[in-house]
Amino acid sequence: MTSQVSSPAEQADGAVVGEQRKPAGTKDVRRLDRVIIRFAGDSGDGMQLTGDRFTSETASFGNDLATLPNFPAEIRAPAGTLPGVSSFQLHFADHDILTPGDAPNVLVAMNPAALKANVGDLPRGAEIIVNTDEFTKRAMQKVGYETSPLEDGSLDGYSLHPVPLTTLTVEALKDFDLTRKEAERSKNMFALGLLSWMYHRPTEGTERFLRSKFAKKPHIAEANIAAFRAGWNFGETTEDFAVSYEVAPAAKAFPVGTYRNISGNLALSYGLIAASRQADLPLFLGSYPITPASDILHELSKHKNFGVRTFQAEDEIAGIGAALGAAFGGSLAVTTTSGPGVALKSETIGLAVSLELPLLIVDIQRGGPSTGLPTKTEQADLLQAMYGRNGEAPVPVVAPRTPADCFDAALEAARIALTYRTPVFLLSDGYLANGSEPWRIPELDELPDLRVQFAQGPNHTLDDGSEVFWPYKRDPQTLARPWAVPGTPGLEHRIGGIEKQDGTGNISYDPANHDFMVRTRQAKVDGIEVPDLEVDDPTGARTLVLGWGSTYGPITAAVRRLRAAGADIAQAHLRHLNPFPRNLGAVLEGYDKVVVPEMNLGQLATLIRAKYLVDARSYNQVNGMPFKAEQLAEALKEAIDD
């Protein structure tokens, strides 16, 4: 969805505030500055679809937003169990926000498992909407409830709304030619309608979506629309919901432009397509499906009209092998994967280093080791990206910081790969990949020019005066070798994994030549031009918090909270992890304390300590979930006061 908004304003993730007023009807309307909602149920209850639709309507309304989908690790965990709970959290506001929120103000629990799995995250006074039809004795016992939490007083600290969602949905669809089981599947749309009424969300987009999604089954589309409208009407008429809420558009949160809601994987896909167009090269993706990277393969396969070719290989090794072949053939080549796939691709990444060809390796990081937590987030592949190959095989590393930033990071990774003829790692993660936020669609003239010049003829003169093509004769500025498209007359040359002779590219076992080539490849990566690190330090603080990747939102929200409380703290965030920005050492030397929050056990901190001899303090979390702003604020306050 797209919307027009006006100029930016810096505001912190503030508390919920509001005022009541009487509308034309009989119910009060309370104005809020922000709300955090979490939909939770079985993985078959459609919670991701429900959250996505609410998000789309919220984006079209003009709120700033951030989302956190949370999937079960198993493809189909047993129904009604804690491992099978799927949730979707949405934080939306009338001002600039940075995270999906620490604690939900509203929980929609479709069954006892969803309630038990999520109630511990709720602050006292939060609203809980439960589907009472699912609170049977057997369902409650399955998750360890000896008595009904709806009746035993354990939820007295919350605003509880018991709603028989299933019964009401079936009743609303009684005139449709559906079985009871088919009708029950629409209960998520009833819940969506109720929440849309509560928060004054637009409805037209959801109805259009349902008609499009079920275009081949119009009776199912109309049934879902009927359930959606019934949920809206229930909120309007029931006495249990005496108040609805308004969250105004974020009119001052963004620069003027056309916006749409976008997830990290979708933004990354669009960034790759844009890079291909700006480079005037065909885009080739060689990939094998793996969570949470598969959406990129799915999306790029839709865009053949932009010269995109996707190849779903039989395994990870074949996927990157095909991509490297496409790079040799003159394409902008990409392979997408997650940590386990990077392990399988490591030999071919080393081959790409040796061949010195542009190749993008997109790693959507997830919890490990091995299969680990395939649907949960982590940023623990940094050292793997830096060093996970045999021999000295340096590879540049770029990391986006928000879902929308994945678009720009893809362009930057492509710039480096094409300019310096090198494979490049792009390190996103599950939090960015599945999360979403508003994205301003850039104008064409804002995109970088990525066009490259292929080798056209001889580039070296021998002692006898004859002109030849040397495939490893380098650009003196970038140290990049020429890129020769196969089949170009006179530009025939050898490729392979055995060490090359400098200049000629002939096979060489000469020790001095190997030493020279290893050092040259390292010098090429070390010499990559990247922007200086920007530091946000308005008060001359003595403590710096340094982050990378998806920790940007929680860190920035925590820093805002600390500054609002009067604390002095500086913030910097790395996009380029290899090579580091040239001013990083000087920045680090300017502070007494450096704190590095990471969703790993201290990988960036290890690199910082080793390279700059700085006593960087790690603050680490590896529980499969992103940091919470309040949690980080407390840790940073301790570091300041220490």
Side-chain angles (χ1 to χ4, degrees), residues 72-85:
E74 299 175 61
I75 293 175
R76 190 67 175 98
T81 64
L82 294 175
V85 173

Side-chain angles (χ1 to χ4, degrees), residues 98-99 379 431 544-563 569-574 595-598 619 627-630 632-633 636:
L98 299 155
T99 75
Q379 49 175 183
Y431 172 41
L544 171 71
V545 54
L546 179 68
W548 71 279
S550 65
T551 58
Y552 173 78
I555 288 174
T556 307
V559 167
R560 289 181 179 182
R561 293 186 186 199
L562 289 172
R563 289 176 180 171
I569 188 166
Q571 177 188 0
H573 208 79
L574 289 166
V595 183
V596 184
E598 297 181 81
Y619 183 74
F627 283 113
K628 293 182 177 180
E630 184 61 30
L632 274 179
L636 295 175

Side-chain angles (χ1 to χ4, degrees), residues 450-595:
L450 301 179
R451 288 174 293 181
V452 297
Q453 182 66 47
F454 288 109
Q456 301 295 322
N459 62 357
H460 185 75
T461 303
L462 298 176
D463 291 341
D464 63 4
S466 58
E467 294 185 338
V468 296
F469 174 68
W470 274 15
Y472 283 84
K473 185 167 185 175
R474 301 180 182 278
D475 182 293
Q477 297 299 319
T478 65
L479 298 183
R481 78 175 186 90
W483 193 3
V485 175
T488 305
L491 304 189
E492 297 84 0
H493 60 281
R494 295 180 177 87
I495 63 169
I498 297 178
E499 185 62 279
K500 320 291 186 300
Q501 184 182 51
D502 177 43
T504 69
N506 296 331
I507 291 173
S508 173
Y509 292 96
D510 177 64
N513 179 80
H514 177 61
D515 182 273
F516 178 80
M517 292 295 280
V518 166
R519 293 179 186 276
T520 300
R521 288 189 290 262
Q522 182 66 57
K524 180 173 68 170
V525 173
D526 291 342
I528 291 172
E529 289 290 337
V530 302
D532 279 350
L533 180 65
E534 295 182 1
V535 182
D536 176 17
D537 184 4
T539 58
R542 306 313 307 157
T543 300
L544 171 71
V545 54
L546 179 68
W548 71 279
S550 65
T551 58
Y552 173 78
I555 288 174
T556 307
V559 167
R560 289 181 179 182
R561 293 186 186 199
L562 289 172
R563 289 176 180 171
D568 293 328
I569 188 166
Q571 177 188 0
H573 208 79
L574 289 166
R575 163 169 283 178
H576 298 90
L577 297 153
N578 192 32
F580 286 129
R582 285 172 172 73
N583 68 329
L584 177 56
V587 167
L588 297 173
E589 289 177 1
Y591 293 91
D592 297 335
K593 303 170 188 175
V594 178
V595 183

Side-chain angles (χ1 to χ4, degrees), residues 308-348:
V308 179
R309 295 294 178 265
T310 53
F311 170 54
Q312 181 175 320
E314 64 269 27
D315 56 40
E316 296 280 6
I317 299 172
I320 190 172
L324 184 56
F328 178 60
S331 292
L332 176 59
V334 184
T335 190
T336 52
T337 189
S338 192
V342 173
L344 293 170
K345 297 177 188 290
S346 62
E347 182 181 5
T348 307

